[in-house]
């Protein structure tokens, strides 16, 4: 049984309600009704109404629940990942945990000092220098001037902004602000560090550096980290436990691999919106499978991979076509192409209203990182007419036990591919 002193953060029945289309809590009549309910000891009448936060549908109520009955607890030294689609309530939850806003109902129990990094330059005064903002943020966190001075050199060195530390923050790029803000939050020894997707603003080198620092403060200093990200590779490498939010509710809380697997298997994509050739051909589905035939967007380095594509048509498919899958880097550079033309594969003209295509890759040799997929169709019978779809899917390559990557590996220096090799 878990000892109570091991729990550093406990969230009990937390909900957050918003009224759409207005600034504030609502109209005067709504505020008056709420006030009367409060002074007479009755329940707030507007807590009984409202809909879940589904952005894709038009609701009938002007009240929505961004969060509804959230319950979980975090032990000291744990790194908790929070994942979910856009609009699931992740950022709202972190703002409540960081005391930026309060919950509508429920309570949160803390057992330590909390620091948060929610948006670029959170808590920074634009007219003050980087050095002055370090002392300002430290004071907000409850640190003494002596404590901040002791950590000052480490903060500046980690941020990589030494040359500009005496320049007003308003002249910093967004990446520089993130570097400095993260360094301040991580080095001023909070008991709980809350980090939102903001790290995505930094470059790949800094992201790995920041993740390494979060691992250090958890394992060595015994501090707790709450981490929100859409990068499943970062979540898997960093987090010891994970929760999945959907429409403001906790769908699953378990170990990281189980939660990520559940999330990816149940994630819905509307691929039938993608059309080739003005709707004559369209993409019905595109799926990525691992060697165990599970749908994934996390791929182990040096492991096999399978792409499965289903092309639909409004009329029978009688003519052959060339089909290509292109893998791109985040800089839109094409890294590899898998083409039916290059390997002399031809389809059989057997009619029908759909075609399923399978492309098997023996081994993924891309270095760890995020990659994107374009699809190309070239018709034979229409003068080589070409139609393409961009960014229909993406996947993350992560480290495997077969190859050890250092945190300093860079595409610019090492390239995007690491071939199999042996030294003798």
């Amino acid at each position: 049984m878990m000892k109570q002193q091991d729990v550093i953060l406990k969230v009990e029945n937390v909900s957050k309600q918003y009224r759409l289309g207005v600034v504030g809590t609502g109209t005067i009549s709504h505020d008056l009704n709420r006030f009367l309910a409060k002074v007479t000891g009755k329940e707030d009448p507007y807590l009984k109404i409202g809909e879940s936060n589904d952005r894709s549908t038009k609701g009938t109520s002007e009240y929505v629940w961004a969060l509804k009955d959230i319950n979980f607890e975090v032990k000291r030294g744990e790194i908790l990942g929070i994942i979910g689609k856009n609009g699931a309530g992740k950022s709202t939850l972190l703002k409540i945990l960081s005391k930026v806003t309060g919950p509508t109902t429920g309570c949160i129990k803390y057992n330590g000092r909390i620091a948060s990094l929610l948006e670029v330059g959170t808590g920074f005064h634009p007219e003050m220098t980087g050095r002055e903002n370090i002392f300002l943020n430290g004071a907000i966190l409850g640190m003494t001037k002596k404590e901040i001075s002791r950590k000052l050199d480490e903060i500046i060195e980690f941020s990589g902004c030494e040359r500009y530390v005496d320049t007003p923050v308003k002249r910093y790029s967004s990446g520089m602000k993130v570097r400095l803000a993260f360094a301040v939050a991580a080095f001023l020894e909070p008991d709980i560090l809350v980090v939102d997707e903001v790290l995505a603003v930094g470059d790949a080198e800094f992201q790995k550096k920041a993740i390494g620092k979060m691992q250090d403060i958890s394992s060595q200093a015994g501090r707790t980290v709450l981490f929100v990200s859409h990068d499943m590779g970062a979540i898997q490498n960093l987090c010891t436990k994970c929760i999945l939010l959907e429409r403001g509710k906790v769908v699953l809380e378990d170990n990281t691999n189980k939660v990520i697997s559940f999330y990816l298997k149940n994630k819905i994509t509307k691929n039938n919106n993608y059309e080739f050739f003005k709707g004559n051909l369209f993409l019905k589905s595109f799926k990525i499978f691992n060697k165990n035939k599970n749908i994934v967007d996390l791929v182990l380095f040096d492991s096999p991979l399978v792409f499965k594509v289903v092309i639909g048509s409004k009329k029978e498919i009688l003519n052959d076509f060339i089909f290509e899958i292109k893998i791109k880097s985040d800089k839109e550079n094409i890294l590899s192409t898998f083409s039916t033309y290059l390997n002399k594969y031809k389809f059989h003209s057997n009619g029908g209203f759909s075609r399923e295509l399978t492309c098997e890759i023996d081994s993924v040799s891309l270095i760890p990182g995020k990659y994107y997929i374009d699809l190309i169709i070239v018709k034979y019978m229409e003068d080589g007419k070409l139609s393409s779809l961009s960014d229909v899917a993406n996947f993350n390559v992560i480290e495997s036990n077969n190859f050890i990557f250092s945190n300093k590996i860079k595409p610019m220096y090492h390239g995007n591919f690491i071939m199999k090799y042996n030294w003798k």
Side-chain angles (χ1 to χ4, degrees):
M1 187 174 179
M2 185 180 63
K3 296 180 181 180
Q4 191 63 33
Q5 58 264 31
D6 291 335
V7 178
I8 194 168
L9 175 67
K10 190 168 186 179
V11 177
E12 296 180 330
N13 301 314
V14 166
S15 299
K16 183 66 176 178
Q17 186 189 68
Y18 290 105
R19 184 166 186 250
L20 301 178
V22 297
V23 177
T25 58
T27 65
I28 294 176
S29 63
H30 286 194
D31 289 342
L32 182 60
N33 288 336
R34 281 182 154 158
F35 175 74
L36 291 175
K38 184 175 181 180
V39 297
T40 57
K42 296 179 181 179
E43 185 180 4
D44 187 332
Y46 297 102
L47 296 184
K48 298 178 182 179
I49 62 175
E51 298 173 330
S52 62
N53 186 24
D54 185 358
R55 297 175 296 121
S56 62
T57 60
K58 184 175 177 63
T60 57
S61 173
E62 58 186 357
Y63 288 92
V64 295
W65 291 99
L67 296 173
K68 186 67 173 175
D69 299 328
I70 303 294
N71 289 277
F72 65 89
E73 56 187 25
V74 189
K75 294 182 184 178
R76 189 178 300 276
E78 276 189 334
I79 303 181
L80 175 69
I82 303 173
I83 64 174
K85 295 188 293 185
N86 290 332
K90 305 183 297 298
S91 295
T92 301
L93 176 59
L94 291 196
K95 286 177 182 177
I96 292 174
L97 295 176
S98 304
K99 303 179 183 179
V100 173
T101 185
T104 305
T105 63
C107 67
I108 302 171
K109 298 177 181 177
Y110 303 88
N111 187 20
R113 185 167 53 201
I114 187 166
S116 60
L117 186 59
L118 304 180
E119 296 177 5
V120 176
T122 301
F124 278 5
H125 193 295
E127 299 295 336
M128 297 172 67
T129 66
R131 189 186 304 273
E132 290 168 339
N133 271 293
I134 293 173
F135 281 92
L136 174 63
N137 272 251
I140 292 171
L141 288 174
M143 308 287 291
T144 65
K145 187 176 181 180
K146 185 177 180 180
E147 288 177 298
I148 301 168
S149 298
R150 181 167 52 88
K151 292 282 185 179
L152 185 62
D153 291 341
E154 289 181 274
I155 292 170
I156 295 173
E157 181 183 359
F158 185 89
S159 70
C161 301
E162 185 171 1
R163 186 173 185 179
Y164 306 98
V165 73
D166 292 310
T167 300
V169 165
K170 67 180 181 181
R171 297 194 176 97
Y172 284 23
S173 68
S174 57
M176 288 169 62
K177 289 179 184 176
V178 168
R179 283 174 168 268
L180 188 60
F182 179 83
V184 171
F187 278 88
L188 291 184
E189 302 180 351
D191 298 297
I192 305 170
L193 177 60
V194 177
V195 183
D196 204 346
E197 187 68 57
V198 66
L199 284 185
V201 176
D203 54 40
E205 179 186 3
F206 177 70
Q207 288 179 34
K208 288 190 175 183
K209 193 176 179 181
I211 287 173
K213 181 60 181 177
M214 286 189 279
Q215 289 173 328
D216 289 343
I217 65 177
S218 172
S219 60
Q220 298 176 15
R223 296 187 178 89
T224 301
V225 179
L226 305 182
F227 183 51
V228 165
S229 180
H230 289 286
D231 184 344
M232 295 299 108
I235 290 286
Q236 186 183 51
N237 289 333
L238 179 64
C239 302
T240 53
K241 191 173 74 170
C242 198
I243 65 174
L244 171 61
L245 291 180
E246 184 175 336
R247 297 182 184 179
K249 297 181 180 181
V250 175
V251 177
L252 183 64
E253 178 183 358
D254 210 320
N255 72 62
T256 302
N257 288 333
K258 284 185 179 180
V259 176
I260 290 177
S261 178
F262 179 87
Y263 171 57
L264 296 179
K265 285 180 181 178
N266 291 275
K267 189 165 57 175
I268 298 173
T269 57
K270 299 180 180 179
N271 286 327
N272 56 357
N273 288 337
Y274 293 122
E275 296 186 347
F276 296 97
F277 303 116
K278 297 181 180 179
N280 291 331
L281 293 174
F282 57 90
L283 177 64
K284 295 181 72 174
S285 69
F286 182 90
K287 296 177 181 177
I288 305 173
F289 295 85
N290 62 12
K291 64 180 179 181
N292 298 322
K293 298 182 179 180
N294 295 322
I295 298 175
V296 296
D297 71 355
L298 286 179
V299 179
L300 289 174
F301 175 83
D302 197 27
S303 68
L305 191 63
V306 176
F307 296 129
K308 285 196 176 181
V309 190
V310 179
I311 303 296
S313 176
K314 294 179 181 178
K315 55 185 179 181
E316 285 191 322
I317 304 175
L318 298 175
N319 298 321
D320 289 337
F321 52 82
I322 298 170
F323 187 82
E324 295 180 342
I325 298 173
K326 294 185 181 293
I327 297 180
K328 305 182 303 182
S329 69
D330 59 352
K331 295 182 179 179
E332 294 292 313
N333 294 322
I334 296 174
L335 304 177
S336 188
T337 297
F338 306 96
S339 170
T340 58
Y341 174 77
L342 292 177
N343 73 347
K344 299 180 180 179
Y345 178 83
K346 286 192 176 183
F347 303 102
H348 299 293
S349 297
N350 56 358
F353 293 88
S354 67
R355 289 279 176 86
E356 180 175 294
L357 318 172
T358 300
C359 180
E360 298 178 349
I361 302 170
D362 294 333
S363 176
V364 175
S365 56
L366 292 163
I367 65 171
K370 191 169 187 175
Y371 300 92
Y372 301 84
I373 291 174
D374 287 355
L375 302 182
I376 307 290
I377 282 184
V378 181
K379 281 192 176 182
Y380 281 130
M381 305 301 293
E382 295 185 16
D383 299 322
K385 187 177 179 181
L386 180 147
S387 184
S388 64
L389 299 176
S390 298
D391 299 335
V392 297
N394 62 72
F395 62 95
N396 290 276
V397 177
I398 59 176
E399 296 180 14
S400 68
N401 294 328
N402 299 331
F403 206 98
I404 299 173
F405 293 91
S406 72
N407 288 334
K408 294 182 179 179
I409 191 164
K410 301 176 184 177
M412 185 179 293
Y413 179 77
H414 299 92
N416 288 96
F417 292 90
I418 300 292
M419 306 299 180
K420 286 186 177 180
Y421 59 87
N422 291 300
W423 285 100
K424 292 184 180 179

